[in-house]
Amino acid sequence: LSPVHTDAYYVARTKELVRLKADLLCVKDPTGLLTPERGRTLFPALVKAAGKVPLQLHSHSQSGLAPEVYQIAIQSGFTHGYTASEPLANGASLPATEEIVQRAERLGFKTRMNKKVMKQVANYFRWLCIREDKPAGEVAKYDPALYEHQVPGGMISNLRYQLQTMGIEHRLPEILEEIPRVRRDLGYPIVVSPFAQYVVTQSVLNVVQGERYKTVPDEIRKYASGYYGKLAAPLSPEFLNRINLKD
């Protein structure tokens, strides 16, 4: 999510992929940032732009909104969706297969899912959770902060652990506040690997060193130089003034 990642932006990317004769297109949302409201405008536009190319949805449940988003995708013409067996679903994972199948059927759609086998798979993983003393998936509570830092749940848990080992876990809120500022300075890179790691790493350096962009890793310099392709938006003047891309 950013000021430049509009519905028109994604429609333009879709048309590019159609011209390249893509076999299928996938809307991937690893942080679970999609909302039902956004889906109602974005999904029909993508289906129209894709034409005969099938569309898939891959949206995690970190915001708790994924099931509703999947339902809108189904209604809009998406033919496939990534899900997880119920004990492994929800939270930072994908929505539950069982729930999405039920929603599709209530809308009058047919699936090729075998409910008997789905139940066997779910029972196996429930038993495994008990045997290995591991938590089963739980529906996430809505967290508005997610829409500010936009960092996937797995990355936040890893970051928290790394900060713990350095004895500075208490600085996590400062880092999460710095992340959207760094992302804006870097032209709104998408928050997936490796760009998410770049944004988080730079945010940690800015906070821990007490000076913004005192240290800029080489990979971020390469990103800013266009090594990974065209940026979604221009780099901020503050960032450009602090680094020399010719170095």
Side-chain angles (χ1 to χ4, degrees):
L1 302 177
S2 80
V4 297
H5 288 95
T6 61
D7 288 1
Y9 175 93
Y10 287 113
V11 165
R13 301 291 78 75
T14 298
K15 290 180 178 178
E16 287 180 8
L17 293 168
V18 170
R19 288 196 295 269
L20 292 170
K21 301 186 185 301
D23 295 314
L24 58 88
L25 302 174
C26 181
V27 175
K28 185 171 174 65
D29 179 20
T31 310
L33 298 174
L34 283 168
T35 64
E37 291 75 18
R38 182 67 187 277
R40 290 188 186 99
T41 62
L42 177 63
F43 294 160
L46 296 184
V47 169
K48 181 179 179 180
K52 296 182 179 180
V53 181
L55 277 161
Q56 303 177 345
L57 177 61
H58 182 131
S59 182
H60 288 240
S61 302
Q62 200 169 334
S63 67
L65 300 175
E68 291 292 332
V69 172
Y70 271 62
Q71 180 167 320
I72 292 168
I74 294 169
Q75 292 171 311
S76 300
F78 280 56
T79 55
H80 293 77
Y82 289 81
T83 60
S85 182
E86 191 172 46
L88 306 177
N90 297 310
S93 181
L94 296 159
T97 306
E98 293 85 345
E99 180 175 358
I100 302 305
V101 167
Q102 290 176 359
R103 285 175 178 264
E105 291 179 344
R106 284 200 298 268
L107 292 171
F109 292 90
K110 294 181 179 180
T111 75
R112 291 180 290 178
M113 302 301 295
N114 186 319
K115 293 183 180 179
K116 181 178 179 180
V117 175
M118 286 167 51
K119 186 175 181 179
Q120 291 174 345
V121 171
N123 286 340
Y124 168 77
F125 283 110
R126 286 194 188 94
W127 167 77
L128 201 62
C129 287
I130 295 171
R131 191 190 76 178
E132 302 294 333
D133 193 25
K134 300 292 184 182
E138 295 183 0
V139 176
K141 294 181 180 179
Y142 177 78
D143 180 9
L146 182 70
Y147 290 87
E148 295 296 325
H149 60 72
Q150 301 185 34
V151 179
M155 278 202 66
I156 291 181
S157 61
N158 289 338
L159 174 61
R160 182 178 288 109
Y161 174 75
Q162 291 167 352
L163 295 177
Q164 283 176 344
T165 61
M166 294 186 289
I168 55 172
E169 184 186 8
H170 62 283
R171 307 206 69 175
L172 179 61
E174 296 175 72
I175 293 168
L176 293 179
E177 288 183 5
E178 177 68 4
I179 286 171
R181 291 193 285 265
V182 169
R183 184 166 176 254
R184 181 182 63 245
D185 289 343
L186 296 181
Y188 297 105
I190 56 176
V191 192
V192 297
S193 298
F195 310 117
Q197 285 84 346
Y198 297 168
V199 172
V200 171
T201 297
Q202 187 65 66
S203 300
V204 171
L205 290 171
N206 288 358
V207 169
V208 172
Q209 294 183 338
E211 180 181 342
R212 303 192 79 220
Y213 305 116
K214 180 179 181 180
T215 300
V216 178
D218 289 343
E219 288 299 329
I220 294 178
R221 290 177 180 272
K222 290 167 68 176
Y223 165 82
S225 300
Y227 182 88
Y228 294 98
K230 184 179 179 181
L231 306 185
L235 302 168
S236 76
E238 179 186 0
F239 178 75
L240 288 172
N241 288 337
R242 293 304 304 270
I243 66 171
N244 184 354
L245 294 180
K246 294 181 182 180
D247 289 348

